[in-house]
Amino acid sequence: MAANETQQPSAAPSGEAAAAAPPSTGVHRRDSNGLILDCGGASVPRRVVIPVDGSPEGERAVLWYINNMRKTGDIVTILHIPEPVSLPFIALSEGAKTPVKNWESKLNEKLKKVREIEDHYNYMLASNKLVNGVVHISQSEAAGKEMIANEICVFGDKVEADIIVMATSGWGTAKKKLFGGSVANYVVAHSLTPVVLIPTTKREQQLHQRRASLRKDSEN
């Protein structure tokens, strides 16, 4: 090479050579909405599961998510796990017609409640423009704190949830035992998904006590 000649920079690789170049990774980058970017630079939406039972506490968890955690592109599943229909003990001497009628009545009452819950949360999703939100009614009925908690964990794993948002009290007839302690504790201890617990405020505790007092008075 002559002394006055300069070496030209090599051309960028093309064809197979270009394909062999290691791809850039964007796993730890986030877009303007805070969503994680995959290796190709596309946003990966968060999958959020919010268990509800038809009580005000379940709605509070949904509202807390909307006001404090909501991100554009989130895929939100509002999960309702129905409790099975139960009947009090009836002596066989009373005949078969009575328990059948009671069963039908309680079953219809349960189905009505499930429809009301589904309609209510579908309305909440639509009114808050959560276009990627759905209400899922579990086909697996669960009775008791551990069964309900386990169902939440299983569902979170199934949909590959990124986070579970729960209120800390509620769940129907067993509300004294469940979200206030055992269900929340079980989910936190056994779920492979991070869990956010929304505590009950002092004002809400007062309302709970007032409702319990009114129920007790009406029963007497």
Side-chain angles (χ1 to χ4, degrees), residues 2-219:
N4 60 348
E5 291 182 355
T6 58
Q7 185 175 1
Q8 297 297 320
S10 59
S14 60
E16 294 183 0
S24 60
T25 176
V27 172
H28 300 294
R29 293 186 294 118
R30 294 178 180 268
D31 67 7
S32 59
N33 293 313
L35 298 179
I36 296 174
L37 299 174
D38 65 12
C39 293
S43 298
V44 179
R46 295 186 307 181
R47 296 182 181 273
V48 182
V49 173
I50 310 175
V52 300
D53 67 340
S55 68
E57 290 79 11
E59 182 171 334
R60 176 162 53 86
V62 176
L63 291 173
W64 189 92
Y65 159 77
I66 292 171
N67 294 327
N68 297 278
M69 285 188 62
R70 178 179 182 173
K71 295 285 187 181
T72 302
D74 281 357
I75 298 174
V76 181
T77 302
I78 297 177
L79 172 65
H80 176 62
I81 304 168
E83 295 180 76
V85 174
S86 60
L87 286 174
F89 174 78
I90 298 175
L92 293 177
S93 59
E94 297 182 17
K97 292 184 178 180
T98 301
V100 169
K101 289 181 179 180
N102 286 344
W103 182 273
E104 290 177 348
S105 176
K106 286 185 174 291
L107 180 60
N108 289 333
E109 182 181 339
K110 170 197 160 183
L111 293 175
K112 179 182 177 182
K113 179 181 178 181
V114 169
R115 284 194 297 268
E116 289 174 348
I117 291 172
E118 186 174 15
D119 291 344
H120 176 71
Y121 285 105
N122 275 324
Y123 175 80
M124 283 191 69
L125 292 172
S127 61
N128 287 282
K129 299 181 180 179
L130 289 168
V131 294
N132 293 326
V134 296
V135 178
H136 178 81
I137 307 299
S138 174
Q139 299 302 310
S140 301
E141 296 179 338
K145 50 192 177 182
E146 288 191 3
M147 290 183 66
I148 291 174
N150 183 68
E151 195 66 29
I152 294 171
C153 294
V154 169
F155 184 83
D157 294 343
K158 181 179 178 181
V159 300
E160 299 181 345
D162 295 295
I163 195 162
I164 296 173
V165 180
M166 297 173 60
T168 54
S169 61
W171 287 93
T173 56
K175 65 175 60 180
K176 290 183 179 179
K177 302 177 182 177
L178 296 182
F179 270 165
S182 299
V183 165
N185 290 341
Y186 186 102
V187 174
V188 169
H190 294 86
S191 176
L192 300 178
T193 303
V195 181
V196 172
L197 298 181
I198 314 303
T200 304
T201 65
K202 184 176 181 179
R203 172 60 177 163
E204 287 167 333
Q205 290 174 349
Q206 293 172 344
L207 289 174
H208 284 312
Q209 294 171 355
R210 177 61 177 163
R211 292 192 192 107
S213 176
L214 290 173
R215 282 196 299 269
K216 185 175 180 180
D217 292 341
S218 64
E219 292 171 358

